[in-house]
Amino acid sequence: MIAAATLAALATVCALGAWRLTAARWTWRAPRAAILLWQSLGVTWGLASTGALLAFALEPFGRGIVHGLAYMGHHWREPHDFLRIAALLGGLALFAVLSAVLVAAGAQTLQARRRHRLLLALIARDEPGVPGVRVVDHPGAAAYCVPGLRSQVVISAGTLSLLSADELTAVLAHEAAHVRERHDLVLLPFAALRWVLPWTRTVHDAHASVALLIEMAADDRARRQCSPKRLATALLRFGTAAAFATPHGALGASTGENVMARVNRLVKPRAELPAHVRFAIVAGSVILTASAPLLWLLPG
């Protein structure tokens, strides 16, 4: 019973932590550390929630979760308490749903990217002035990347006429950061969770917070190579131009509802969190992530 109570408490702490983190603004001063913390909260919540049900169901065997599941698999014909059977089925069902939704969301995203790459092969062209970038002949403003093993950065003809050379360099550096750091993989679990729990405000806010943080992380990477004010003006130009929506599975430079927050952060940057604070966040995230699997492995 101790393991079940510990896992239930851990899941509650993760849920409360996520709720508090959605309103936090210190995350803007250390987006990469905050992204890691978000990932830790998500993984730990999933394992702790399912683990609490399984630990309660398997508690009579005194073997923990992993060994208890193996033991029950060999003794399933023996009579068992109805409440614990219900908890076992609930825990396995929750684990299966979370896993299946993640796989389904990943497959859907991969399919959308594959279709979009085929479309780009038909309508996009190379531009000598921006080597390595695909250009779509459309008057609307667009700049996005299609992540993956065969990643592509795409801009529209409207973007070429809208932005100055320095602004375009800043936008392309932003998209290159998305590709290099695989921000699409960071966002995927939160998109999957929003898919399975669309009515939950905390899940919606968590997805929005992580989406904003990966944009800020890409901004930080881009401003190492260019003027942050040029990136800010490019974002403002996108906001006032006739931009079209970023395709499903891609990451755009000006997507999201908090573009002005990014602009203000670029124009009036606050000091980054001290290194020891960022280290503490990263270390705490690693410890938190390891806690649930350890509780799964520990014998009862």
Side-chain angles (χ1 to χ4, degrees):
M1 189 64 72
I2 294 177
T6 303
L7 284 164
L10 187 59
T12 303
V13 167
C14 289
L16 290 175
W19 175 66
R20 292 293 300 272
L21 200 57
T22 56
R25 290 295 175 265
W26 63 261
T27 56
W28 297 4
R29 299 172 60 194
R32 285 181 178 79
I35 289 169
L36 183 61
L37 179 57
W38 267 117
Q39 291 176 301
S40 174
L41 288 172
V43 170
T44 306
W45 175 83
L47 290 177
S49 298
T50 56
L53 292 170
L54 295 176
F56 172 77
L58 301 169
E59 188 268 339
F61 303 135
R63 297 170 180 266
I65 296 176
V66 175
H67 298 292
L69 286 171
Y71 181 85
M72 192 171 190
H74 290 91
H75 298 81
W76 62 273
R77 294 180 181 275
E78 299 178 5
H80 301 287
D81 180 75
F82 173 78
L83 185 60
R84 297 188 187 276
I85 289 295
L88 176 66
L89 294 177
L92 292 176
L94 178 59
F95 185 81
V97 167
L98 293 176
S99 301
V101 167
L102 180 60
V103 172
Q108 186 183 50
T109 300
L110 289 175
Q111 186 178 24
R113 288 175 187 164
R114 184 164 52 249
R115 288 198 302 264
H116 194 67
R117 287 193 185 97
L118 292 174
L119 181 62
L120 289 174
L122 296 174
I123 66 173
R125 59 179 172 83
D126 295 326
E127 179 68 32
V130 279
V133 176
R134 303 288 285 166
V135 178
V136 177
D137 288 316
H138 191 283
Y144 59 89
C145 68
V146 183
L149 296 178
R150 295 182 293 114
S151 60
Q152 292 179 306
V153 175
V154 183
I155 60 175
S156 65
T159 297
L160 288 175
S161 60
L162 177 70
L163 303 181
S164 68
D166 290 342
E167 290 168 345
L168 181 60
T169 299
V171 168
L172 294 180
H174 175 97
E175 293 306 322
H178 279 320
V179 170
R180 184 167 50 251
E181 299 185 7
R182 292 309 306 266
H183 288 154
D184 57 305
L185 299 181
V186 174
L187 196 58
L188 180 62
F190 296 93
L193 197 58
R194 191 180 65 167
W195 186 22
V196 74
L197 297 171
W199 61 86
T200 306
R201 181 68 183 178
T202 300
V203 171
H204 179 274
D205 291 345
H207 179 270
S209 296
V210 175
L212 178 59
L213 287 172
I214 65 173
E215 294 299 332
M216 289 181 171
D219 289 343
D220 289 347
R221 181 70 68 176
R223 65 182 181 181
R224 296 180 185 178
Q225 306 174 32
C226 59
S227 167
K229 290 186 178 180
R230 295 287 76 79
L231 180 56
T233 56
L235 293 175
L236 290 175
R237 289 184 189 276
F238 273 119
T240 58
F244 60 82
T246 301
H248 176 65
L251 294 172
S254 60
T255 56
E257 303 173 356
N258 294 296
V259 172
M260 286 309 301
R262 292 170 55 197
V263 170
N264 292 332
R265 183 174 177 271
L266 289 166
V267 175
K268 300 177 181 178
R270 297 180 62 187
E272 189 177 23
L273 287 182
H276 69 276
V277 176
R278 285 181 278 124
F279 176 80
I281 295 170
V282 171
S285 300
V286 172
I287 293 171
L288 181 63
T289 304
S291 61
L294 285 176
L295 288 170
W296 273 56
L297 292 172
L298 287 177

